[in-house]
Amino acid sequence: MKTAVEADGLTRVHTVGGKALSSLDDVSLTVPAGEVVAVTGPSGSGKTTLLHLLGGLDRPDKGRVLLLGVDWRSLSGAALARFRRRTCGFVVQGAGLLPQATAFENVEVPLVLDRVPAGARRERVEAALESVGLAEHAAKLPDQLSGGQQQRASIARALVTGPAVVLADEPTGSLDTDTAKAVVALLLTAAREQGAALVLVTHDPVVAGHADRIVKLTSGRIT
Ligand SMILES: Nc1ncnc2c1ncn2[C@@H]1O[C@H](COP(=O)(O)OP(=O)(O)OP(=O)(O)O)[C@@H](O)[C@H]1O
Ligand SMILES: [Mg+2]
């Protein structure tokens, strides 16, 4: 199968108070299109750092990341932002929705930035909201949505561009168990239907159990 994302020998060093500490140490990971990988590990083990490197939000001190064969190092500025918008969908803990924008407008943002014409935009946003069960709630502001609904809106926003890679950082961290299960099931189904590679950071062993593969990080290394 086609490789969606390939990371080779990633090392990220953070210097705090003159002391250099490796947040990530020689981590390699290849995720083919359509595969679901769960990343687990204790707090501070480097999960978020890894996700940021995979999605081109941060740069490694050593190693490289290829997304659809493109090296993040070959891109910068607007070209990098555009490439990231078209290839990566991010789902973060707490949903990260714009508070003044409706569910519809939140999901529409990446398409507006990509100058998708209004008619096509409406169709795609409606389909994405429908697929996460939010068709009836399109006009609501985030604070008029439940936590699970907010999280589903953020999944719709991550998937509306048809990304090759979906990067989810503890998307269910703030939800009760049943809602978390439903949200993760939705994320897995949606990613699988679109043939996207999904890298899912989670503390929950039950959630990790639904992945095709589990990668465990300990102190910045795969164990
Ligand atoms: N900008 C930064 N400056 C200094 N240290 C950092 C920075 N970002 C991350 N770190 C350190 O890197 C290590 C890994 O952090 P990271 O956020 O990746 O952990 P995590 O596995 O996501 O943890 P959690 O489960 O708590 O979210 C931690 O020790 C953290 O303190
Ligand atoms: Mg984290």
Side-chain angles (χ1 to χ4, degrees):
M1 226 196 254
K2 218 170 75 184
T3 297
V5 61
E6 178 185 339
D8 302 310
L10 292 183
T11 297
R12 184 75 176 96
V13 180
H14 285 118
T15 307
V16 179
K19 233 175 105 186
L21 293 166
S22 293
S23 307
L24 219 53
D25 185 9
D26 196 21
V27 165
S28 297
L29 177 69
T30 298
V31 189
E35 192 183 37
V36 176
V37 176
V39 178
T40 66
S43 181
S45 58
K47 304 182 296 295
T48 297
T49 303
L50 173 61
L51 226 55
H52 285 177
L53 293 176
L54 295 181
L57 292 170
D58 187 18
R59 292 186 182 248
D61 295 292
K62 254 193 254 166
R64 62 167 195 177
V65 176
L66 305 183
L67 208 136
L68 296 178
V70 175
D71 192 330
W72 281 122
R73 290 175 304 190
S74 70
L75 298 168
S76 62
L80 185 142
R82 194 180 323 117
F83 182 72
R84 183 166 50 221
R85 204 162 55 231
R86 291 178 182 170
T87 57
C88 295
F90 291 90
V91 186
V92 298
Q93 184 170 355
L97 300 171
L98 303 171
Q100 319 278 29
T102 64
F104 185 98
E105 290 160 349
N106 267 285
V107 175
E108 194 181 23
V109 166
L111 302 181
V112 172
L113 292 171
D114 258 346
R115 299 197 176 88
V116 174
R121 224 159 57 208
R122 169 161 290 275
E123 252 172 52
R124 285 167 68 179
V125 173
E126 281 172 356
L129 285 170
E130 174 79 45
S131 76
V132 298
L134 286 184
E136 313 290 296
H137 302 279
K140 288 188 178 173
L141 296 171
D143 70 4
Q144 298 169 326
L145 297 168
S146 72
Q149 288 170 340
Q150 288 178 32
Q151 207 50 273
R152 284 189 274 148
S154 81
I155 290 170
R157 184 184 52 189
L159 291 167
V160 74
T161 55
V165 179
V166 177
L167 301 165
D169 198 350
E170 295 191 50
T172 59
S174 53
L175 304 176
D176 66 79
T177 317
D178 284 346
T179 310
K181 251 197 253 167
V183 165
V184 167
L186 188 76
L187 183 58
L188 262 70
T189 309
R192 288 204 162 106
E193 268 171 11
Q194 293 196 6
L198 170 62
V199 182
L200 172 64
V201 169
T202 180
H203 280 295
D204 185 339
V206 178
V207 169
H210 289 292
D212 300 312
R213 184 156 54 110
I214 300 177
V215 167
K216 186 160 193 268
L217 284 177
T218 310
S219 307
R221 289 182 152 266
I222 291 183
T223 49

